[in-house]
Amino acid sequence: MAQSINCQKVKGTIDFYGELSSKKRYVENKAREICKKYNMEEIITPTFENTEVFSRSSGDGSDIVNKEMYTFLDKSERSITLRPEGTAGVVRSFLENKLYVNPGLKKYYYCGPMFRFERPQAGRFREFSQFGVEFFGEDNYLLDASVIALGDKILKSYGLSGKYRICVNTIGDFKSRQVFQVALKEYFSKYIDSLCDDCKRRLEKNPMRILDCKVDKESEILKNAPKIKDYLTDESKEYFKNLQEALAYLGCDYYVDDNLVRGLDYYTDTVFEYIACNDDSENSINGMAICAGGKYAELVSKFGGPDISGIGFAFGVERVTNLMDKFGLFDDNVKTKVDFVLIGLDKVAKLFTIKLANEIRDLGYVCELDYKNTSFKSQFKLVDRVNAKNILIFGEEEIKNNLVTVKNNENGEQKSVKLDDFLESIKK
Ligand code: HAM
């Protein structure tokens, strides 16, 4: 006997079908529409890259690189990684295709699957989708404020006002961080025995990563650690002050979290997260970031490119969908409405309805038909199942006289009209 195939999906992955796939597309499309209003271009990069694109950008001290990447050798023994995030691939493409040659701000958005080997839980998957934006070419607090406001605008467009909080911080410029790292190293060295194994390693590679540790997060040692705000250069302080003023002016309701450092190494100065709140449902994602980003003034040059600053963010499509679902924010916009079910009462009429349905679809309507049955009763079951708005009935009489019986399924009205007149009326 043939061995049956394991039909269970891989842990941490999702099958999207029915309303779930409509909800996902709704969320993605709405963000697309908004980005187009900002004259942004879509950028589509590969779902896998040479491993160093991620290891050299996200930082080999980050959890993403150390623990979460799906990395494998391909058949030519090249180390390949399924992208854990979108920014590094966009920066790689920006350089490889010399998208920086023309002057001016470059604005991109992208949407697609990302892969991280994380412990699956509510809102955390191993394959998930991000919708992200990246801006290149301006190192300016006004741009930072506009990008943070864009994230706010997109999330609000889903009706999520009051369901998340915008948290911002600065991790300073290179000089600020250099002094800060020394202070952190000195401080954490005193507590080395109390730190988790990963943090012990982080202490050597990049002490700032300890502040982002998921294990030690709540410990007093972390809470009392030195704060970047006390090590900022005057330039970084001024930049952050200006950013906050601009955010307030733009009406962005934010708060400063001086512990926010983000889990990726490429950021400089501005970092921000949109944290879910007020979700007291089961499997709550309260406290999780639904969207996050920051400025990366040095990443393009780190890849060997010109000195061009970038800033962007990405939101988790599943986390946004999840939050919208919990607050009942999807309405009928995710249900496909069937305008017409065509019923053919004999073989000739059936064939006719197939052709006619295609013509009506070309006019922009959603049509359904039952290919198998010819009895009215069995075909009517489809009308109920898809909750069609109208039914078009064709029997011997209708075909012979070029007529159609139109039944409005919402108010029950039924009339027989000339088919040409009917088609003319729906064209309008
Ligand atoms: P990130 O914070 O790693 O940033 O991820 C951005 C968002 O992706 C998170 O806020 C969350 O909504 C979603 N996300 C992350 N991991 C998972 C997961 N395992 N399951 C479900 N959703 C998840 C970045 O990826 C940066 N590239 C963002 C950025 C763009 N910075 C500058 N430009």
Side-chain angles (χ1 to χ4, degrees):
M1 208 167 68
Q3 190 110 45
S4 62
I5 295 172
N6 179 355
C7 275
Q8 278 195 327
K9 60 186 179 309
V10 174
K11 205 173 162 187
T13 61
I14 311 171
D15 289 322
F16 290 91
Y17 54 88
E19 269 190 24
L20 194 55
S21 51
S22 305
K23 287 173 179 171
K24 184 174 192 283
R25 293 297 180 227
Y26 173 84
V27 168
E28 294 168 354
N29 290 339
K30 208 161 180 86
R32 272 199 181 92
E33 277 165 32
I34 295 176
C35 288
K36 283 187 184 151
K37 300 241 164 68
Y38 284 69
N39 196 23
M40 297 172 73
E41 265 177 48
E42 179 162 21
I43 185 159
I44 304 170
T45 61
T47 42
F48 56 86
E49 300 270 356
N50 290 312
T51 299
E52 63 175 353
V53 168
F54 305 111
S55 59
R56 305 253 325 260
S57 57
S58 305
D60 60 2
S62 69
D63 272 4
I64 291 189
V65 172
N66 273 313
K67 302 193 207 159
E68 297 169 2
M69 293 205 309
Y70 280 92
T71 298
F72 55 94
L73 289 181
D74 70 6
K75 292 199 190 319
S76 317
E77 301 282 305
R78 285 190 198 95
S79 180
I80 297 292
T81 294
L82 301 185
R83 62 179 180 194
E85 58 103 39
T87 311
V90 172
V91 171
R92 195 266 314 133
S93 170
F94 183 71
L95 284 180
E96 185 172 346
N97 298 298
K98 298 195 171 51
L99 300 178
Y100 51 83
V101 289
N102 294 321
L105 186 65
K106 305 290 173 323
K107 303 170 282 189
Y108 302 102
Y109 69 87
Y110 53 89
C111 184
M114 308 290 157
F115 307 85
R116 293 185 193 177
F117 190 77
E118 290 198 85
R119 198 168 55 79
Q121 63 179 92
R124 182 161 288 140
F125 307 98
R126 290 186 173 167
E127 181 181 8
F128 59 97
S129 287
Q130 276 187 351
F131 188 100
V133 307
E134 311 294 346
F135 289 66
F136 296 96
E138 296 257 358
D139 186 347
N140 185 331
Y141 65 87
L142 286 177
L143 176 64
D144 298 10
S146 309
V147 171
I148 297 173
L150 169 61
D152 193 30
K153 189 185 179 78
I154 294 177
L155 296 179
K156 279 191 177 138
S157 78
Y158 301 126
L160 287 170
S161 287
K163 316 289 190 280
Y164 63 90
R165 297 177 68 206
I166 307 176
C167 145
V168 299
N169 195 21
T170 177
I171 54 165
D173 52 16
F174 182 68
K175 249 196 206 155
S176 317
R177 280 195 311 279
Q178 247 182 344
V179 193
F180 182 49
Q181 294 274 36
V182 173
L184 285 176
K185 200 161 183 172
E186 207 176 290
Y187 171 82
F188 284 122
S189 298
K190 290 188 274 184
Y191 302 102
I192 185 142
D193 293 337
S194 315
L195 297 176
C196 72
D197 287 347
D198 283 332
C199 283
K200 286 186 181 122
R201 200 175 27 80
R202 290 172 182 133
L203 185 61
E204 285 315 310
K205 278 193 174 164
N206 183 352
M208 220 169 88
R209 287 277 70 83
I210 300 178
L211 301 176
D212 200 41
C213 175
K214 287 172 192 140
V215 181
D216 288 334
K217 200 164 118 192
E218 296 303 327
S219 81
E220 288 301 309
I221 303 175
L222 250 73
K223 285 184 186 155
N224 298 326
K227 306 272 181 260
I228 180 74
K229 65 176 180 196
D230 299 320
Y231 298 86
L232 295 175
T233 56
D234 288 346
E235 290 81 14
S236 282
K237 261 190 219 154
E238 183 68 11
Y239 192 95
F240 193 44
K241 182 173 151 276
N242 286 334
L243 170 71
Q244 291 182 66
E245 280 169 12
L247 281 175
Y249 184 78
L250 294 177
C252 252
D253 201 3
Y254 71 94
Y255 71 101
V256 176
D257 175 354
D258 48 28
N259 283 320
L260 179 68
V261 288
R262 305 271 301 121
L264 297 146
D265 279 0
Y266 49 64
Y267 295 115
T268 48
D269 292 301
T270 311
V271 287
F272 50 94
E273 288 188 345
Y274 306 69
I275 312 280
C277 62
N278 296 329
D279 165 17
D280 40 26
S281 64
E282 218 179 295
N283 291 326
S284 157
I285 63 164
N286 252 354
M288 276 190 173
I290 47 175
C291 178
K295 186 173 108 170
Y296 45 91
E298 291 146 20
L299 186 56
V300 178
S301 54
K302 204 168 163 188
F303 267 80
D307 186 16
I308 293 177
S309 182
I311 176 165
F313 63 72
F315 69 79
V317 175
E318 293 78 7
R319 286 194 191 170
V320 165
T321 306
N322 177 315
L323 211 55
M324 286 180 70
D325 244 344
K326 285 182 174 164
F327 288 102
L329 294 170
F330 287 108
D331 44 37
D332 281 353
N333 45 26
V334 292
K335 291 198 180 99
T336 304
K337 294 178 195 78
V338 174
D339 298 301
F340 298 106
V341 164
L342 286 80
I343 291 183
L345 297 174
D346 58 30
K347 221 172 136 188
V348 177
K350 192 105 243 175
L351 191 61
F352 179 79
T353 56
I354 294 173
K355 186 162 179 254
L356 184 67
N358 281 339
E359 286 168 24
I360 299 177
R361 286 178 188 126
D362 287 344
L363 297 176
Y365 293 95
V366 181
C367 294
E368 270 272 24
L369 35 83
D370 170 341
Y371 293 88
K372 199 166 72 194
N373 300 297
T374 45
S375 89
F376 183 80
K377 206 170 149 204
S378 5
Q379 291 185 71
F380 201 80
K381 285 187 188 141
L382 175 67
V383 177
D384 270 349
R385 211 166 54 235
V386 299
N387 194 18
K389 285 195 244 170
N390 301 284
I391 313 158
L392 305 180
I393 307 159
F394 295 89
E396 206 184 330
E397 205 43 36
E398 280 86 0
I399 299 288
K400 201 165 77 196
N401 300 313
N402 202 25
L403 294 171
V404 54
T405 301
V406 185
K407 181 168 180 185
N408 180 323
N409 202 31
E410 282 159 357
N411 61 18
E413 260 175 38
Q414 182 168 321
K415 57 187 176 194
S416 176
V417 291
K418 284 225 160 299
L419 180 59
D420 290 345
D421 291 347
F422 167 74
L423 290 174
E424 208 45 51
S425 72
I426 63 167
K427 265 186 210 162
K428 285 174 193 152

